[in-house]
Amino acid sequence: MNSQAGLLTLWTQGDVVTRAVALLLLVMSLSTWMVIIVKALALRQISKQALTTKEFWLAPDFLEGLNKLGGDGSNPFRQLAIKGHAANAHLQPQDGRPHLNNSLDLNDWVTRCLRSSIDDAIAELQSGLAVLASVGSTAPFVGLFGTVWGIYHALLAIGAAGQSTIDKVAGPIGESLIMTALGLAVAIPAVLGYNALVRGNKGVLGKLNRFAYDLHALFVTGARVGSSSAFNMGSKVLPMRKV
């Protein structure tokens, strides 16, 4: 109750600069939580989509495996498979006529297309993180500026009144220090959210790289790179045919 009264007093008694700083901190806080919620939901969805890659490799052919990945166009794993297949088909013209792209190496071309798809996924994953980094680094200083501004005006008012007793100083100074607390309250979630999202993005990137590595082997050599888990599964692993 006292904190709410302090915020209300700070707003009602503050000048234009104080209110502008408070509104700026409010906008920073709303932006931070919006980015954290949206990106956390997106990471959760991608984590679920990553599980479908197991079904992809159990499919009898590429088209069936593509269906196993789902129909979501924003699925980065589906985009990897589509672009890898398109890169492989691009170097195999159906008209039989010589094309300039026939001189390109299949390995390099597929690698380049898969890397381009991963770069697009990374850019999508990192979108919004700049907001969290900016808020986490600037919000404490914005709050500190509001504190300094409030203390300055409180001291001017005290000097004009000619009184310097503790009861005259404690109220205005305490209300000004609330701005520092608000700055920290905005910055801490931004920093923690940024670190958590970066860790989540690294996990997704690792899964994308592993999937791209297997796709590269499929399109270049015609078979997925074998693993110990695949050999242990025996007949459960079906050979995938390119289309």
Side-chain angles (χ1 to χ4, degrees):
M1 189 67 180
N2 292 333
S3 60
Q4 294 178 356
L7 291 173
L8 181 60
T9 304
L10 180 66
W11 177 261
T12 56
Q13 296 183 359
D15 57 2
V16 176
V17 176
T18 302
R19 295 179 180 180
V21 171
L23 288 176
L24 179 59
L25 290 175
L26 178 61
V27 171
M28 285 182 170
S29 180
L30 293 177
S31 301
T32 295
W33 285 108
M34 184 179 299
V35 170
I36 290 176
I37 293 174
V38 170
K39 302 304 292 185
L41 293 177
L43 280 177
R44 182 179 179 182
Q45 181 181 8
I46 294 177
S47 298
K48 292 181 179 180
Q49 293 170 345
L51 298 177
T52 60
T53 57
K54 297 180 181 179
E55 299 296 329
F56 173 84
W57 294 114
L58 295 176
D61 55 52
F62 179 81
L63 292 180
E64 182 64 25
L66 200 61
N67 293 331
K68 296 290 185 180
L69 294 177
D72 188 0
S74 62
N75 185 346
F77 299 96
R78 180 181 175 85
Q79 290 298 320
L80 268 176
I82 292 176
K83 290 190 176 182
H85 182 265
N88 180 69
H90 184 67
L91 294 182
Q92 299 177 3
Q94 302 298 325
D95 54 13
R97 294 181 299 175
H99 292 174
L100 181 61
N101 57 32
N102 290 358
S103 61
L104 298 176
D105 182 73
L106 177 62
N107 177 39
D108 294 338
W109 181 249
V110 172
T111 300
R112 180 178 179 181
C113 291
L114 291 176
R115 174 52 56 187
S116 175
S117 181
I118 291 179
D119 290 341
D120 293 339
I122 292 175
E124 180 64 25
L125 288 172
Q126 292 181 344
S127 62
L129 294 185
V131 175
L132 298 182
S134 300
V135 171
S137 60
T138 59
F141 298 102
V142 173
L144 183 60
F145 172 77
T147 298
V148 172
W149 186 266
I151 291 176
Y152 169 71
H153 281 274
L155 293 177
L156 287 181
I158 292 171
Q163 297 177 348
S164 59
T165 58
I166 188 64
D167 58 330
K168 299 294 184 182
V169 176
I173 299 300
E175 292 169 3
S176 299
L177 291 176
I178 293 177
M179 300 298 292
T180 300
L182 291 178
L184 294 175
V186 172
I188 291 175
V191 173
L192 295 179
Y194 177 85
N195 292 334
L197 290 176
V198 167
R199 288 195 301 269
N201 289 347
K202 286 182 179 179
V204 170
L205 181 58
K207 296 176 182 178
L208 284 172
N209 282 325
R210 287 192 293 269
F211 188 59
Y213 179 74
D214 289 337
L215 285 175
H216 178 271
L218 173 66
F219 292 121
V220 174
T221 67
R224 179 190 181 190
V225 176
S227 62
S228 58
S229 60
F231 289 116
N232 292 334
M233 292 176 65
S235 61
K236 293 182 179 180
V237 179
L238 301 177
M240 175 176 287
R241 293 180 288 104
K242 294 186 295 182
V243 177

